[in-house]
Each structure stands twice: as structure tokens, then as C-alpha cells.
Amino acid sequence: MGYDLEKKLVIAISSRALFDLEEENKIFEDKGVDEYYKHQIENEDSLIEKGTGFRLVKNLLRINDDFPEDKQVEVIIMSRNNAATSLRITKSIEKYELDIARSAWSGGNDISKYLKPFKVDLFLSANETDVQNAINEGIAAARILPYKENVDEHSTQVKIAFDGDAVLFSEESEIIYKTQGLEAFLEYEKENANNAMKSGPFAQLIRVISNIQAKYPEEQTPIRTALITARNSPAHERVIRTLSQWGVRLDESFFLGGVDKYEVVQAFGADIFFDDQDVHLENTSKTTPSAKVLYHEESILNRI
């Protein structure tokens, strides 16, 4: 019987999301694929600097120390590099002592079609096309934004922060807000306060995380989650009821009512923050690893 990824938290991450390969990407864009391949091969033994997703991956993999016989987290490298240029990346993984054994190298082709075969719960990439294709396929995916850590910030607890509408929850309320205004949105939420919201692109991910949390006493959980949303009273009521009906635990919730999110995200100490709007991510990405959740290509939100 093959190795079963079905009941694990499976994170697929591109090499440019895990490591800082922006200089190399500029070579690719300015000089073409041949010069890029040449650069990677010539620098095969040069350690690559940590990228936006490194801290999240490092801290998630530490959870497996508690489950030596049954890993809870699997991280898979999924990259548009080819096998020849992959050596620099895999050597850096080894030097950083990351327990990553699985990888896929597509040689420039779209990587998203391989996500479902690998049972991926979350895909992180700097390539917007791959992220968009993943979202269209129903995979929780986000485009990593550039971020550099000033210090080596690793802990025994992973902290993940989520926006609500169009991320954890469906975009139906977001559409009403953007097309009909705040009053219509509040009235809609009041009328539907007892009706659970539909699942958004990251709903299944939060459920998988909750399953891992349930294996620990609450005070010893290795993953701490937060909802950081622009909603406020009375629109918060439906959120609370929805999470209860889902049987999902969120450790912290912040209903900001339009207050800027970045200071709360920073105070929470997130290893990563997921949001769908540039207005929030522009500030959070300066102090916190952040990633943009794209809308499905058929969503009306792309045209508003």
C-alpha cells in the first residue's frame, strides 16, 4: 500500500514561495530561461535565503516531532523548475534541515493540475497563474507576497490568521456589500444570522487544522488560529454561529469594523496572514508574511 496523504495536512509550496528567489526570477524575466538555468546550475551549492513561506513551513514541520510514527504535516515542493535546476533548491532544503521529501518539477508547465493527486490542502506560490488555476480547481491557494524577516522568528507554535468573507466563508456577503452597500449588507446578515454561511476557499483548510488541534489539550495546541475581519456588530453574530455549526475552533477573533488590520495581525504574531484585498495586504506584508487569496475566475468580484 502506498503512502497515504489523505488524513494529513498537506502543504504544497513553490520554490519561490519557500525561498527568496526574486533575483533569480528577474534573471528569468530579463534574460530568459537559458540564462536562468545557467545561473541556478552555476550556483548549485549557494544557500538560498529564506522566503515568505519559510517560517510557516519550518514551524508546521515541527508538529511532526510529536508524532514520530504518524506525521500530521506533509510539505511538498511544487515548482516550475526542471530536475537539473532543482538541485540548488533541494540542497538548500537539506542545509536548513527541513523535513521535505516529496517534490514535483514541471519544467515550466502549469503545476496546478498536480495538486489534487497529491491531496493538497493548501498551495502557496508566487506565480499568480498557478494560484488562479488552483483556486479554479477548488484548492485553497494564495499568492505569496514578498517579505523579508529581520530576525529568525521561529517558535513551537504556528500562528495562522485569516480574513473572513471570500476566504474562510463564501463571497456572497462580500458581493452584497460591494454591489448594494453597507446598509444592505448589514440587513442581509441580520436576516440570515441563524443561517450558516457557505464554505469559502479556505474552509476545508481550517477544518483540517482543527483536526490537528483536537489531538492536543487546548492549552498545548501547536497551531493557533485567528479570524481578523472588517465585520463588526451585528454582522459578527453570523460568523460565530457558522463556526459553531462547522465544529471549527478559532482561537482568536477580531471584528474590526473597518479599522486597519495590520497592527492586529502584527500583534497576533502571525506566521502568515491570508486576505483577498490589496488594501489590507499592502500594509500587513511589510511586517508579517502575507498571501493574497484570489477569486475564482468566474466570480463577479473580479468585475466590480
Side-chain angles (χ1 to χ4, degrees):
M1 181 180 292
Y3 188 74
D4 187 8
L5 294 169
E6 197 73 53
K7 296 183 179 180
K8 304 180 187 300
L9 172 59
V10 181
I11 309 294
I13 187 166
S14 72
S15 54
R16 193 152 64 98
L18 181 62
F19 296 120
D20 182 359
L21 288 165
E22 294 310 304
E23 180 183 339
E24 286 78 1
N25 187 61
K26 193 172 189 311
I27 293 172
F28 172 77
E29 292 178 345
D30 294 345
K31 299 181 179 180
V33 65
D34 289 341
E35 285 298 315
Y36 169 79
Y37 286 166
K38 180 182 176 183
H39 175 84
Q40 289 293 73
I41 292 171
E42 288 177 348
N43 290 275
E44 183 179 305
D45 294 317
S46 298
L47 183 67
I48 311 172
E49 293 296 315
K50 301 170 185 176
T52 303
F54 187 95
R55 187 165 111 197
L56 174 70
V57 166
K58 182 77 171 180
N59 288 343
L60 278 172
L61 286 172
R62 284 182 173 163
I63 294 172
N64 290 333
D65 293 343
D66 295 335
F67 301 89
E69 302 301 322
D70 184 23
K71 291 182 181 180
Q72 299 297 297
V73 179
E74 286 287 346
V75 176
I76 302 169
I77 296 292
M78 288 198 165
S79 172
R80 284 176 174 256
N81 279 274
N82 62 18
T85 58
S86 71
L87 290 178
R88 186 184 179 201
I89 296 162
T90 55
K91 285 186 176 183
S92 290
I93 288 171
E94 292 171 2
K95 289 176 182 177
Y96 283 119
E97 297 182 338
L98 298 176
D99 183 18
I100 300 176
R102 293 171 178 81
S103 59
W105 311 94
S106 69
N109 291 325
D110 175 20
I111 203 74
S112 64
K113 62 184 177 181
Y114 300 109
L115 298 175
K116 287 187 176 180
F118 278 97
K119 315 301 181 190
V120 169
D121 295 303
L122 173 65
F123 175 51
L124 298 174
S125 175
N127 185 294
E128 184 161 346
T129 299
D130 285 349
V131 171
Q132 184 67 69
N133 289 340
I135 287 286
N136 294 344
E137 289 294 320
I139 304 289
R143 179 171 60 83
I144 285 284
L145 304 179
Y147 171 79
K148 283 186 177 292
E149 288 192 73
N150 295 322
V151 294
D152 195 21
E153 298 182 34
H154 303 298
S155 68
T156 57
Q157 190 174 61
V158 187
K159 293 185 176 181
I160 305 175
F162 303 89
D163 179 36
D165 294 298
V167 179
L168 287 181
F169 313 119
S170 80
E171 59 187 30
E172 63 173 319
S173 296
E174 184 87 0
I175 291 172
I176 290 173
Y177 173 73
K178 288 192 173 181
T179 57
Q180 300 179 41
L182 179 60
E183 289 187 11
F185 165 78
L186 292 174
E187 183 61 29
Y188 181 79
E189 291 305 300
K190 183 178 179 180
E191 291 175 356
N192 290 276
N194 293 318
N195 299 323
M197 287 183 281
K198 296 177 182 178
S199 296
F202 279 60
Q204 180 58 25
L205 174 63
I206 197 69
R207 292 184 178 104
V208 175
I209 290 173
S210 291
N211 290 338
I212 294 177
Q213 290 176 315
K215 298 178 186 292
Y216 294 83
E218 186 170 343
E219 66 278 5
Q220 296 177 17
T221 179
I223 308 179
R224 192 165 185 83
T225 56
L227 170 68
I228 302 178
T229 174
R231 283 176 177 250
N232 60 356
S233 179
H236 74 299
E237 181 178 348
R238 192 178 181 205
V239 170
I240 294 170
R241 294 186 186 280
T242 296
L243 293 171
S244 177
Q245 290 185 42
W246 286 1
V248 164
R249 177 181 116 203
L250 275 169
D251 298 290
E252 302 185 35
S253 300
F254 302 91
F255 300 96
L256 301 181
V259 173
D260 202 320
K261 296 181 180 182
Y262 81 95
E263 290 184 308
V264 176
V265 172
Q266 185 179 17
F268 175 65
D271 290 305
I272 197 162
F273 171 58
F274 296 106
D275 202 301
D276 63 305
Q277 297 189 44
D278 292 328
V279 65
H280 301 304
L281 292 166
E282 182 179 354
N283 286 328
T284 63
S285 61
K286 296 174 184 176
T287 58
T288 301
S290 301
K292 183 176 182 179
V293 179
L294 307 181
Y295 305 126
H296 192 286
E297 64 179 356
E298 297 180 355
S299 171
I300 190 175
L301 291 173
N302 289 317
R303 302 186 292 278
I304 297 176

